[in-house]
Amino acid sequence: MTSTPNGNVAAEVTDQSASSELQSALDNYNQLSPRQIAWRRLKKNKVALASGIVALFFLILAYGAPLFAGIFHVDPNSRFPDAIDGTGLVKGSFNGMGLHHPFGFEPGTGRDLFALLVYGSRISFTIAIITSVAFAAVGSIFAVIAALYGGKIDNFFGRLADFLLAFPFTFFVIALSVPLTKSIESTGIAQNNGARMIMLVLLLVIFSWSGFFRVVRSQVLTLREKEFVMAAHALGAGNRRIIFKEILPNLYPLIIIYLSISLPGYLTAEATFSFLGIGIQAPASTWGLTLDDAVNYWQRDPVYLLIPTLMLIIVVLALNLFGDGLRDALDTKSDR
């Protein structure tokens, strides 16, 4: 079978049309900013988007706690003694869940569990967000200074990071929590749980910035050899301009990725230390404190333990999945 001239012409026109459309799409893609490209890639990741929406919902629930608790006319301090029997257990099945008390009650006190969890999540999220931002800021600043100035400065920060990485983190948080809390209270900055929040943030930042420091330092060492940085040096730009105009803009994707990944870790850390009794204390409420109390009732009222456990798992999983999707979207070398 032989092809006709008209067939060859049609095929050639089709190829040219496809090539033109492809070139047009590439031109439009090249005109997008890095943020637009990252957003376009993130939108394609349905799991990351759904996880981000779930995490955002819990954030809104936490910081809108008075509003959402007010819908059910409850607060974390009100007690409902009629919901508790003589042994301290909640009357009825499923922890006393109902229309006005969607999560039921806290055994022993009769407080509304929904109000306790949404108000407690605000404390947990606040500690995790402040710690994540602080550790990223400290690690980035030290890494940029060490990598750009080098010499004794680089050696000092490098040895300091090695020294902190050698410490058993959990042991030192437990050992230093009481004296550091008392020191903060003696200054008058904060008292009781306010001082404990500051203590947790300080200890978590002190013992966690060193790992991030190593990652950022290696990235800065690579960036300072790039042509645009060397050109800025050749044009007489000072270190301050190079740091803020050349280095930091190229570190933002890395910092954002680590922020999204570290947040669930600090949420878990706050819950763990509060569970161990060295974090936030009653009468305040966090997920860790609720879990600590729920352990005492898990055989007689397993729903009381199940609800805060599921909430913590869902939030941590959603933040981790969103962090993975954000990393893929911001990574220019990723093919996903």
Side-chain angles (χ1 to χ4, degrees):
M1 179 182 294
T2 60
S3 60
T4 64
N6 289 336
N8 291 334
V9 171
E12 188 174 335
V13 170
T14 302
D15 292 341
Q16 289 178 352
S17 177
S19 177
S20 177
E21 291 178 0
L22 178 60
Q23 185 62 44
S24 177
L26 289 173
D27 291 340
N28 291 333
Y29 188 81
N30 291 330
Q31 291 174 2
L32 296 175
S33 67
R35 292 181 183 179
Q36 291 173 320
I37 295 173
W39 172 239
R40 176 174 289 189
R41 299 175 71 180
L42 183 62
K43 286 194 297 183
K44 295 179 180 179
N45 192 332
K46 304 303 181 184
V47 174
L49 274 183
S51 300
I53 292 171
V54 171
L56 181 61
F57 168 76
F58 276 96
L59 273 172
I60 294 173
L61 193 66
Y63 289 103
L67 174 63
F68 292 104
I71 294 175
F72 299 101
H73 305 288
V74 295
D75 62 71
N77 299 316
S78 297
R79 297 172 184 264
F80 300 88
D82 294 340
I84 305 298
D85 62 20
T87 63
L89 293 178
V90 178
K91 296 177 182 178
S93 57
F94 297 102
N95 203 43
M97 291 181 182
L99 183 62
H100 298 291
H101 304 280
F103 290 171
F105 302 90
E106 180 186 49
T109 64
R111 295 186 294 178
D112 183 83
L113 186 56
F114 175 77
L116 288 174
L117 290 175
V118 294
Y119 273 89
S121 64
R122 181 164 54 177
I123 298 176
S124 301
F125 272 115
T126 299
I127 292 175
I129 292 172
I130 293 176
T131 304
S132 298
V133 173
F135 114 95
V138 172
S140 300
I141 292 171
F142 288 172
V144 171
I145 293 173
L148 286 183
Y149 288 93
K152 294 182 178 180
I153 295 177
D154 187 17
N155 186 61
F156 169 77
F157 283 114
R159 301 294 76 76
L160 179 61
D162 292 339
F163 178 72
L164 291 174
L165 286 171
F167 273 82
F169 167 69
T170 304
F171 172 77
F172 272 91
V173 171
I174 295 173
L176 296 175
S177 60
V178 174
L180 184 56
T181 300
K182 291 182 177 179
S183 298
I184 295 170
E185 289 178 337
S186 65
T187 62
I189 297 174
Q191 298 295 321
N192 300 324
N193 281 324
R196 290 181 175 274
M197 288 180 65
I198 297 174
M199 174 271 297
L200 279 177
V201 171
L202 285 176
L203 290 179
L204 289 171
V205 171
I206 288 172
F207 288 104
S208 63
W209 68 266
S210 51
F212 185 59
F213 164 85
R214 286 173 170 269
V215 176
V216 178
R217 177 183 173 274
S218 63
Q219 185 70 15
V220 176
L221 288 174
T222 302
L223 287 172
R224 75 176 187 179
E225 303 300 326
K226 296 291 185 179
E227 291 80 359
F228 60 90
V229 175
M230 298 178 67
H233 271 298
L235 292 172
N239 285 329
R240 182 176 179 180
R241 177 178 176 80
I242 290 174
I243 290 173
F244 288 100
K245 298 294 184 180
E246 310 296 342
I247 300 295
L248 283 180
N250 289 281
L251 292 178
Y252 287 148
L254 178 65
I255 294 172
I256 292 172
I257 289 170
Y258 267 81
L259 280 174
S260 64
I261 293 175
S262 65
L263 187 59
Y266 289 127
L267 270 176
T268 307
E270 184 281 321
T272 301
F273 290 125
S274 294
F275 179 85
L276 294 174
I278 60 176
I280 306 302
Q281 300 291 317
S285 175
T286 67
W287 288 345
L289 283 175
T290 303
L291 288 170
D292 180 36
D293 187 54
V295 169
N296 300 320
Y297 297 93
W298 74 272
Q299 288 182 316
R300 296 174 292 172
D301 190 356
V303 176
Y304 178 41
L305 176 63
L306 184 63
I307 292 173
T309 302
L310 284 177
M311 287 186 68
L312 186 59
I313 290 173
I314 291 171
V315 171
V316 172
L317 180 61
L319 287 170
N320 275 318
L321 291 175
F322 178 72
D324 288 342
L326 192 61
R327 178 189 59 198
D328 293 337
L330 293 172
D331 185 6
T332 56
K333 297 180 181 179
S334 174
D335 59 352
R336 289 186 290 177

